[in-house]
Amino acid sequence: MLNRRGLIAGTAGLALAGPALIRPVFAQGSGPIRIACAGPMTGSNAAAGEQMKIGAQQVVADMNAKGGVLGRQLALEIADDACDPRQAVSVANQLAGRKVAMVAGHYCSGSSIPASKVYAEEGVLQISPASTNPKFTDDGSWNTFRVCGRDDQQGQIAGAYIAKTYRGKKVAILHDNQAYGKGLADETKKALNAAGVQETLFAAYTPGERDYNALVSRLKGAGIEVIYVGGYYTEAGLILRQAKEQGMNVTLIGGDALVTKDFWQITGAAGEGALMTFSSDPRQRSTAAAVVQTFKAKNIDPEGYVLYTYAAVQIWAAAATKINSVDPKKVAEAMKASGPWQTVLGDIAFDRKGDVTVPDYVFYVWKNGDYVQM
């Protein structure tokens, strides 16, 4: 149901309804333009989905307050894929049937990649705020974009740092066997090995469990001093906490999926000193100052992927305005041909694959319940 600003706050049953296989038609008109935010609104990665939803809702509200896009209000669909690939495909079919012009999503690479195939066939533009697996754009189509970096860039930074900082230490690289986690672990291993350091252990764990003590005992028995986790914040937090409970003096390092304060809620004091890679703090950029103040006035910390989702919609709207059309293929071509696009993240331009031309990864350390850039 639309509110006064044309904002659909969410459709809780969207991910469970049967798919509507109606090919979208994007004629110019006077009615609302449907766009969507798709991600894990439930499940172990729901904190990331909430970040995306908050960003999408705010950018739609801000744009509608200024007249919308091409004189038309925006109507936002919120779709839950629970970071499940099969559910993501179902969601993609449903959103295509609802004639959305673009999707800001998904979060997990394992969802974005299969969903992108549906969107490409059904004529829907996809801009992921968070999916970093290289295959998303390497094997993508006309419609795949991301406003974040890639795992081969992030892994290079992590592997080189571990090799330099922890040379001579026993390192374990763990992953969850999913597109994001395994991809990031592989790239970190590649960079670490290229720097002349061999990990002591490279192993998978099963995501979604609560007890990782058997894995931790294996790490402890091997004398592991540094744990790199290619995976999401819930499992990384549990592994670290249980390692500390077993008396291990270990440093945990992870990727951008740890960029939520829910990580600390899981680890407690055990999270002190944990490290992660993410872009330089978008909340501190001058281009985001006004929007950050809007969030703070609502007592919301726009951490993680809030501003990335905001930026994804900004770029789509700017490109549509530039060409005076919301036709997804025309907008996609304009996004690549023109730019850079002004966003809350700063100026963003895309290469022909749909990757950002200037990735930006740095290290953060967890201190006293918060993460700060090193």
Side-chain angles (χ1 to χ4, degrees), residues 39 63 70 91 107 123 137 146 189 192 208 223 227 234 265 301 349 359:
M63 288 183 177
L70 300 179
V91 161
Y107 171 71
T137 49
R146 56 177 141 214
K189 172 181 166 59
L192 181 69
I227 303 172
T234 300
Q265 291 180 11
D301 179 9

Side-chain angles (χ1 to χ4, degrees), residues 196-260:
V197 176
Q198 184 66 41
E199 72 279 2
T200 302
L201 181 68
F202 186 87
Y205 60 86
T206 303
E209 295 187 352
R210 305 300 297 177
D211 185 352
Y212 291 102
N213 278 296
L215 172 61
V216 169
S217 294
R218 182 182 176 190
L219 298 173
K220 187 176 181 180
I224 297 301
E225 299 163 282
V226 179
I227 303 172
Y228 185 85
V229 177
Y232 295 97
Y233 66 89
T234 300
E235 291 80 10
L238 289 169
I239 290 169
L240 177 57
R241 190 182 75 198
Q242 291 165 19
K244 293 294 181 72
E245 288 171 351
Q246 286 199 31
M248 291 185 70
N249 182 20
V250 66
T251 298
L252 183 135
I253 304 173
D256 54 317
L258 271 59
V259 66
T260 168

Side-chain angles (χ1 to χ4, degrees), residues 29-349:
S30 58
I33 302 169
R34 290 183 182 271
I35 66 172
C37 172
M41 306 304 159
T42 59
S44 60
N45 294 298
E50 181 68 13
Q51 291 174 359
M52 294 171 63
K53 181 174 74 172
I54 288 170
Q57 289 176 331
Q58 188 61 56
V59 69
V60 167
D62 289 347
M63 288 183 177
N64 282 344
K66 296 177 180 179
V69 175
L70 300 179
R72 300 164 63 185
Q73 294 285 281
L74 300 179
L76 177 65
E77 302 275 356
I78 301 295
D80 178 23
D81 67 15
C83 270
D84 177 85
R86 288 176 295 181
Q87 188 161 317
V89 169
S90 178
V91 161
N93 276 305
Q94 293 163 56
L95 291 175
R98 294 177 74 85
K99 302 181 183 180
V100 299
M102 69 84 68
V103 174
H106 297 219
Y107 171 71
C108 292
S109 295
S111 291
S112 277
I113 293 170
S116 71
K117 312 306 180 187
V118 176
Y119 295 136
E121 182 178 344
E122 297 295 330
V124 179
L125 177 62
Q126 179 184 8
I127 310 175
S128 175
S131 294
T132 52
N133 189 293
K135 290 182 180 179
F136 173 60
T137 49
D138 286 353
D139 298 340
S141 187
W142 63 269
N143 64 318
T144 48
F145 294 80
R146 56 177 141 214
V147 291
C148 57
R150 296 163 49 110
D151 287 335
D152 46 3
Q153 299 158 344
Q154 186 171 197
Q156 176 63 41
I157 297 295
Y161 179 84
I162 294 170
K164 179 181 178 181
T165 308
Y166 300 102
R167 187 173 293 272
K169 301 287 187 180
K170 291 188 175 182
V171 177
I173 300 177
L174 307 179
H175 63 86
D176 60 6
N177 246 336
Q178 299 186 94
Y180 164 72
K182 179 64 161 54
L184 182 56
D186 285 344
E187 294 295 342
T188 300
K189 172 181 166 59
K190 187 187 302 181
L192 181 69
N193 296 165
V197 176
Q198 184 66 41
E199 72 279 2
T200 302
L201 181 68
F202 186 87
Y205 60 86
T206 303
E209 295 187 352
R210 305 300 297 177
D211 185 352
Y212 291 102
N213 278 296
L215 172 61
V216 169
S217 294
R218 182 182 176 190
L219 298 173
K220 187 176 181 180
I224 297 301
E225 299 163 282
V226 179
I227 303 172
Y228 185 85
V229 177
Y232 295 97
Y233 66 89
T234 300
E235 291 80 10
L238 289 169
I239 290 169
L240 177 57
R241 190 182 75 198
Q242 291 165 19
K244 293 294 181 72
E245 288 171 351
Q246 286 199 31
M248 291 185 70
N249 182 20
V250 66
T251 298
L252 183 135
I253 304 173
D256 54 317
L258 271 59
V259 66
T260 168
K261 292 188 177 67
D262 283 40
F263 173 75
W264 186 272
Q265 291 180 11
I266 295 168
T267 65
E272 188 76 15
L275 305 175
M276 65 181 181
T277 46
F278 188 55
S279 65
S280 58
D281 195 340
R283 296 169 297 183
Q284 303 302 318
R285 300 177 191 180
S286 59
T287 49
V291 174
V292 169
Q293 283 303 119
T294 298
F295 281 116
K296 287 185 175 180
K298 298 178 179 181
N299 200 31
I300 294 173
D301 179 9
E303 66 168 342
Y305 290 101
V306 173
L307 295 175
Y308 280 78
T309 308
Y310 196 107
V313 178
Q314 280 185 307
I315 293 169
W316 165 80
T321 300
K322 182 178 181 65
I323 65 171
N324 194 35
S325 173
V326 294
D327 180 275
K329 288 190 175 182
K330 294 179 180 178
V331 173
E333 189 56 38
M335 285 171 57
K336 293 176 181 177
S338 301
W341 305 100
Q342 296 180 347
T343 77
V344 290
L345 301 177
D347 288 350
I348 291 179

Side-chain angles (χ1 to χ4, degrees), residues 3-18:
N3 68 14
R4 286 174 296 178
R5 287 183 173 176
L7 175 63
I8 296 179
T11 50
L14 180 57
L16 302 178

